[in-house]
């Protein structure tokens, strides 16, 4: 078929479809945050998610150096004012790190309210990660104990002087992983001590570490939200999960093997899998595994390779919506299955380029 003759009609159909879907999204209107123009091309651009909050996200296309900001179509800005003393407001905080000589400067901006902070880590404290308003520094061989920083005069004097030391990590341990995830109340930490790897969460309100898994390989992937701490290890991506707040010594529950699929996020009571191993030949699917019983279902039959967790416990995935449009989908807890996917920004369309829509 000569698709070139259908180009104007197909392009109009794509634009109208975009307007119809966006106009129907609850809680926001397309007029408030216009979506980018549909790119009509045979190759839909790949999306790299650079940061994701509860209202906005940053991304780049096709590996480009230009950072763009996107808005979820089903979410209103949650706050008009937010301060570092309120941990829960940190889900929309974007942190950037710069160096001025021997001093590390951390700049933070709340993407919904516009509130901003800026503070300096002292010489010798290496920046490790930021989770919401909280910054973790040190903890490695050259940086001493792991510490939590926040830019607020309301915090204890110890924070203003040298950060707050994280309790519960043995003296002499080497912290090899400090990782933000789907919660601004916690940060994932893994360390090696006397030849054994231990992983768990730092409670950023109490500055204390709780272990949830031991004996992990250092290559194990860790994802979490306020409800679950999950790991992905071994050649078959063996999944395990434990409830956040479980009594010390509680063993993680095994949920089986994910095959070539990797753990990418925890949304509500589900582990979200994606990004299959390149050599496996598996389709680029997105699956969800119940943290309760290990049951598994497919969320998207076709997707781009990257699935990314957001700081509020949601996740982002790029997949077709069944109309020929590829979109950024906002994965949230809820709905009949416990996990719902809201189509958001348009990435591109395939039909006008002469290809059948991917379904």
């Amino acid at each position: 078929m000569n698709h070139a003759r259908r180009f104007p009609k197909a392009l109009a159909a794509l634009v109208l479809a975009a307007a119809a879907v966006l106009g129907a999204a609850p809680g926001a209107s397309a007029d408030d945050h216009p979506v980018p123009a549909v790119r009509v091309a045979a190759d839909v651009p790949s999306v790299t998610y650079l940061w994701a909050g509860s209202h906005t996200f940053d991304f780049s296309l096709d590996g480009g150096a230009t950072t763009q900001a996107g808005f979820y179509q089903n979410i209103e800005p949650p706050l008009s004012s937010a301060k570092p003393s309120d941990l829960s407001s940190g889900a929309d905080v974007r942190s950037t790190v710069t160096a001025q000589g021997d001093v590390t400067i951390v700049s933070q901006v709340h993407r919904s309210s516009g509130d901003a902070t800026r503070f300096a880590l002292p010489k010798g404290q290496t920046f490790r990660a930021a989770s919401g308003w909280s910054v973790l520094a040190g903890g490695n061989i050259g940086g001493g104990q792991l510490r939590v920083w926040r830019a607020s005069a309301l915090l204890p004097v110890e924070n203003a002087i040298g950060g707050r030391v994280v309790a519960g990590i043995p003296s002499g341990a080497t912290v090899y992983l400090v990782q933000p995830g789907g919660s601004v109340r916690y940060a994932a930490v893994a360390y090696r001590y006397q030849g054994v790897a231990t992983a768990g969460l730092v409670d950023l309100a109490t500055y204390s570490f709780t272990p949830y898994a031991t004996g992990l390989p250092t290559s194990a992937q860790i994802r979490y939200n306020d409800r679950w701490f999950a790991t992905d290890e071994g050649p078959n991506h063996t999944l395990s999960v434990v409830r956040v707040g479980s009594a010390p010594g509680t063993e993680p529950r095994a949920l089986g093997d994910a095959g070539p699929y990797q753990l990418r996020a925890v949304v509500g009571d589900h582990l979200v899998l994606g990004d299959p191993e390149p050599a496996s030949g598996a389709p680029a699917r997105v699956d969800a595994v119940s943290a309760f019983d290990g049951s598994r279902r497919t969320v998207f039959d076709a997707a781009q390779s990257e699935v990314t967790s957001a700081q509020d416990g949601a996740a982002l995935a790029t997949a077709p919506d069944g109309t020929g449009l590829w979109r950024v989908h906002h994965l949230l807890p809820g709905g009949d299955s416990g996990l719902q996917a809201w189509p958001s920004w348009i990435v591109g369309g395939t039909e006008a380029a002469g290809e059948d829509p991917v379904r």
Side-chain angles (χ1 to χ4, degrees), residues 280-304:
S280 68
R285 265 189 354 233
V286 174
D287 287 356
V289 176
S290 169
F292 292 114
D293 59 16
S295 59
R296 181 168 173 171
R297 68 182 182 88
T298 296
V299 181
F300 299 116
D301 289 315
Q304 289 187 352

Side-chain angles (χ1 to χ4, degrees), residues 267-290:
V267 178
D269 295 315
H270 287 83
L271 282 61
V272 179
L273 311 179
D275 305 14
E277 299 287 357
S280 68
R285 265 189 354 233
V286 174
D287 287 356
V289 176
S290 169

Side-chain angles (χ1 to χ4, degrees), residues 164-184:
R164 191 69 179 265
V165 174
V166 174
I169 298 176
S171 176
T174 298
V175 178
Y176 65 85
L177 175 72
V178 182
Q179 179 181 297
S183 169
V184 292

Side-chain angles (χ1 to χ4, degrees), residues 24-75:
S29 96
D31 295 333
D32 294 334
H33 304 300
V35 299
V38 176
R39 171 176 166 176
V40 182
D43 296 322
V44 176
S46 63
V47 181
T48 299
Y49 300 110
L50 306 173
W51 171 85
S54 62
H55 172 237
T56 64
F57 60 97
D58 289 344
F59 66 98
S60 65
L61 296 178
D62 287 336
T66 301
T67 298
Q68 303 182 53
F71 298 84
Y72 307 129
Q73 296 301 312
N74 58 308
I75 298 292

Side-chain angles (χ1 to χ4, degrees), residues 90-141:
D92 267 340
V93 171
R94 180 80 156 92
S95 295
T96 57
V97 181
T98 56
Q100 294 184 2
D102 294 332
V103 177
T104 300
I105 305 298
V106 181
S107 302
Q108 299 177 310
V109 61
H110 194 280
R111 295 288 290 272
S112 296
S113 71
D115 289 291
T117 66
R118 185 175 183 270
F119 65 97
L121 297 176
K123 181 179 179 180
Q125 287 201 27
T126 306
F127 172 87
R128 301 298 298 275
S131 180
W133 291 112
S134 304
V135 169
L136 292 97
N140 49 0
I141 294 175

